[in-house]
Amino acid sequence: MKRGNEIELQIESLAFGGRGVARFRDFVIFVNQALPGDLVRAKIFKKKKKHAEARVIELIKASPDRIDPPCPYFGACGGCKIQSLSYDKQLYYKRQQVMDSLVRIGNFQDVEVLEALPSPDRIYYRNKMEFSFCNRRWLLDSEIAQKEQVEDRDFALGLHAAGFFDKVVDLKSCLLQSEESGRIVNHTRKYCLDHGLTPYNVRAHTGDFRFLMIREGKNTGGRMINIVTRNYQPQIVEPLAMSLMQAFPDTTSIVNNVTDNMGNVAFGDKEYLLYGESTIDEQLGENRFRISANSFFQTNSVQTERLYDLVKELCEFDGTELVYDLYAGTGSIGIFISDAVRQVIGFELIESCVRDARANADLNHVQNCEFVTADLMNLASYIPTKEKQPDVMIIDPPRAGMHPKTVQAVLDIAPRRIIHVSCNPATLSRDLEILCADRYRLNYVQPVDMFPHTGHVEVVVRLDRL
């Protein structure tokens, strides 16, 4: 098998991330835009020692689980990669991915994995979107077929084309956040084109406008528009903010984040308030959370509340517990469970998140939560005295999982119960193998669909000390 070969493949399963999985002789082949049950002709574009990657060039026979995707940009846009798979099968394969990771990476053989918890909202579920400005617009197949000159090819505002960091699909609508969000994108695009404002060129690191970030309080109605630029130029962003304010008067906040960083992330080094408040609020259960432009907050508000309810239920609190909340972020889990426990101590590396967590505790008049700035690689230095021995530990690490030193510190602290929330079944399984070697038993595994139509899945597990 060589790069450029075309082969016929039967797609057997779905990999984490949303690619179809086929086998050809001794090779595993990951196939873009292929679904389990598809028979395809595919072209190899990358070959490694034990696997290859391919793209579909002909759909010979469609899977019975294929549906017509509702988004007109499906296939070109890099988001919602499995929107053409029926939702019940999306949940089925997300559960399978969790099971496969636990067996293949964690070496668990007899663990029960529950059916994936579906998202109540399957469109317009995100409370945050980052739309990219770009000087290289991706042409849709329909535009190419017209064989006519396409206007404004050097300006796009939307999401990255699948597989490209330097090209953007110019979206006139998007099913991820809200209809109003789409209108804000279209208004901003028209304003920029009418006034000759320049989009960012990721290769040359030129151009003014980098991102349009929109945050919504799904349970409060708040809205923040964050215009991310390469330089601070009030003479061009303030009139745009005024135009947005007039067109969308129920907007809570308009800010300008500025970053000259070469990285393609919508995180500002400096922030300027252009209109209204500097934050918006979101409500989860009985608690209200203040969110700034650069705050981390779970992006599916409705499903997040169900996730946190599950965490609380699995902990089986009786009101006497001391809880350690590792990777506490802005304190949302710790504050959410605070009414059921004696005390929560949250540990978080990023100082701004710790400040937000403390402010959120004050906002909700929560007095039994303490948030500590701590490098969790050195969690061993926070090993408590007997009086501070935690009964329960809640762990919600980033996608890379826990550092080995953190895993060992968790074993040394040895709480009687651990609730682990993970957005990556592979790193979760890696860490669970160590935790469950001889100290803990894995008693509960619940996949949670936080991101419908994508290949990603959240997992909540419970470990009980032997």
Side-chain angles (χ1 to χ4, degrees), residues 287 307-317 335-340 394 419:
N287 299 293
L307 173 69
Y308 289 2
D309 279 334
L310 176 62
V311 169
K312 200 172 187 178
E313 176 186 334
L314 291 176
C315 288
E316 297 182 353
F317 295 129
I335 293 169
F336 193 89
I337 66 165
S338 63
D339 64 341
I394 298 173
I419 306 298

Side-chain angles (χ1 to χ4, degrees), residues 123-169:
I123 61 172
Y124 300 139
Y125 63 86
R126 289 186 65 98
N127 58 41
K128 175 188 173 186
M129 286 293 294
E130 297 174 2
F131 298 99
S132 296
F133 291 90
C134 187
N135 70 318
R136 301 185 71 193
R137 176 181 163 191
W138 180 267
L139 294 185
L140 303 174
D141 290 343
S142 58
E143 293 175 314
I144 296 172
Q146 290 175 1
K147 297 182 180 180
E148 298 177 0
Q149 184 67 31
V150 177
E151 295 182 357
D152 305 320
R153 286 193 61 174
D154 58 354
F155 189 102
L157 177 57
L159 298 178
H160 284 275
F164 290 85
F165 74 97
D166 61 344
K167 293 184 179 181
V168 164
V169 179

